[in-house]
Amino acid sequence: MRADAVICGGGLAGLTLALQLRMRLPAASIVVIEPVRRPLPEACHKVGESTVEIGGQYLGQVLGLHDYLIERHFKKNGLRFFAGPPGSRIEQRTEMGPRESPRVHAYQLDRGRLENDLRARCEAEGIDLREGWGVRGVTIGAPHIVTAVKTRASGEEVEIEARWLIDATGRRRLLASKLGLHEEVPDQASAAWFRVTERVLVGEFVDEGAREWHGRDIDGNRWLSTVHLCGTGYWIWIIPLHTGMTSIGVVAENACHLFSRFSTEEALRGWIAEHEPVLAARL
């Protein structure tokens, strides 16, 4: 078979590119190859929940998804940082973040819900979305040849001639590996995360008697920020998801914090208790 564009990978990058191509080139034939089938789990599919404004502009305005994102996800109240000695009370820390809702929109995304919905939109736009198919190999040329195979044991295989070939496989780095473009990046930081099945609000960490601190939350939307609790060599993120869950994660410099200290859920919870006891008590 032939296609104008074959996109290898049906995650956030591949799906949004497919929709953008459909908008710009309505007559183009577009194939997206993605090994993971729906339904994708809500709240626990992937990290990458917090967009910044340039990403919000692309999703909301370029792709026209603003109303959908407001309905099915959260409008984000900017980035918010609480900096101070580890273990110190939140109201005693320096707080950096907007007091009122930013005029430029960004969003807190449930990646499982978003990618389920984007896949449905691609199908509605006539894009050939091949779920449950994996890329077995590619040959760069004119045209490019993509060999795809069903990931289940049917053995079904197809060759696609593509005018344009796009690698959206993420960490697999399909084309970078094939063309020898991979470069090692110094091991500078590590991350670990989990979700909890309820809202975790930063305002809960501060006694109601701290009226000045609570009074700075003019619109009552401090919790809609991507909250960062910052200490020496680390930050902990707190991100609300529309499904009612909260994403909790740590990013830490390896020079300051060995990954083995927080590489499992039990270890991570212990690490949080050591560095941010107020958050640990809430969890």
Side-chain angles (χ1 to χ4, degrees), residues 14 21 56 71-72 97 113 125 131 161 182 185 201 210 229 233:
L21 287 174
E71 178 184 354
R72 296 276 285 167
R113 171 177 288 184
E125 293 292 338
E131 294 179 281
E161 296 182 3
H182 178 70
V185 176
L201 311 180
L229 307 182

Side-chain angles (χ1 to χ4, degrees), residues 64-137:
L65 298 176
H66 174 72
D67 291 345
Y68 157 78
L69 292 168
I70 294 299
E71 178 184 354
R72 296 276 285 167
H73 302 271
F74 280 136
K75 185 170 73 172
K76 173 178 162 180
N77 187 23
L79 299 171
R80 188 170 304 276
F81 302 89
F82 293 92
S88 59
R89 291 163 54 182
I90 298 299
E91 66 270 28
Q92 295 176 339
R93 297 189 181 191
T94 300
E95 178 181 358
M96 293 165 281
R99 296 184 67 183
E100 302 177 19
S101 296
R103 294 187 179 183
V104 179
H105 294 142
Y107 309 94
Q108 310 279 37
L109 305 173
D110 182 321
R111 288 290 300 276
R113 171 177 288 184
L114 176 63
E115 292 183 24
N116 279 326
D117 293 343
L118 288 177
R119 290 190 189 192
R121 284 179 181 249
C122 283
E123 289 179 324
E125 293 292 338
I127 293 164
D128 185 356
L129 177 59
R130 293 186 170 242
E131 294 179 281
W133 288 74
V135 177
R136 172 169 287 176

Side-chain angles (χ1 to χ4, degrees), residues 24-253:
R24 300 286 179 87
L25 303 167
S29 55
I30 304 165
V31 178
V32 178
I33 302 172
E34 169 55 44
V36 179
R37 300 172 182 269
R38 280 174 288 180
L40 306 175
E42 291 194 347
C44 295
H45 182 48
K46 295 177 182 176
V47 289
E49 302 107 331
S50 176
T51 65
V52 292
E53 285 70 19
I54 193 168
Q57 168 73 12
Y58 175 72
L59 293 170
Q61 303 304 317
V62 175
L63 295 183
L65 298 176
H66 174 72
D67 291 345
Y68 157 78
L69 292 168
I70 294 299
E71 178 184 354
R72 296 276 285 167
H73 302 271
F74 280 136
K75 185 170 73 172
K76 173 178 162 180
N77 187 23
L79 299 171
R80 188 170 304 276
F81 302 89
F82 293 92
S88 59
R89 291 163 54 182
I90 298 299
E91 66 270 28
Q92 295 176 339
R93 297 189 181 191
T94 300
E95 178 181 358
M96 293 165 281
R99 296 184 67 183
E100 302 177 19
S101 296
R103 294 187 179 183
V104 179
H105 294 142
Y107 309 94
Q108 310 279 37
L109 305 173
D110 182 321
R111 288 290 300 276
R113 171 177 288 184
L114 176 63
E115 292 183 24
N116 279 326
D117 293 343
L118 288 177
R119 290 190 189 192
R121 284 179 181 249
C122 283
E123 289 179 324
E125 293 292 338
I127 293 164
D128 185 356
L129 177 59
R130 293 186 170 242
E131 294 179 281
W133 288 74
V135 177
R136 172 169 287 176
V138 297
T139 301
I140 306 300
H144 311 297
I145 305 298
V146 181
T147 303
V149 61
K150 272 196 172 180
T151 53
R152 293 182 178 175
S154 68
E156 186 177 350
E157 187 174 289
V158 64
E159 279 194 354
I160 309 172
E161 296 182 3
R163 291 181 61 202
W164 294 92
L165 173 63
I166 299 98
D167 180 6
T169 57
R171 287 177 293 179
R172 182 181 172 187
R173 299 180 179 91
L174 177 68
L175 292 182
S177 299
K178 180 176 180 61
L179 300 176
L181 301 177
H182 178 70
E183 294 185 14
E184 293 296 328
V185 176
D187 193 16
Q188 298 177 343
S190 300
W193 57 87
F194 56 88
R195 314 293 198 282
V196 293
T197 56
E198 58 185 274
R199 298 253 188 273
V200 177
L201 311 180
V202 68
E204 299 174 328
F205 306 162
V206 177
D207 187 88
E208 292 182 0
R211 294 182 179 178
E212 180 181 354
W213 188 88
H214 287 288
R216 295 203 301 266
D217 189 7
I218 295 173
D219 296 331
N221 60 7
R222 192 185 245 135
W223 68 278
L224 282 170
S225 300
T226 296
V227 170
H228 303 77
L229 307 182
C230 303
T232 303
Y234 74 85
W235 78 73
I236 297 177
W237 79 65
I238 304 172
I239 301 175
L241 302 177
H242 199 273
T243 45
M245 290 190 174
T246 303
S247 177
I248 308 287
V250 169
V251 178
E253 295 182 42

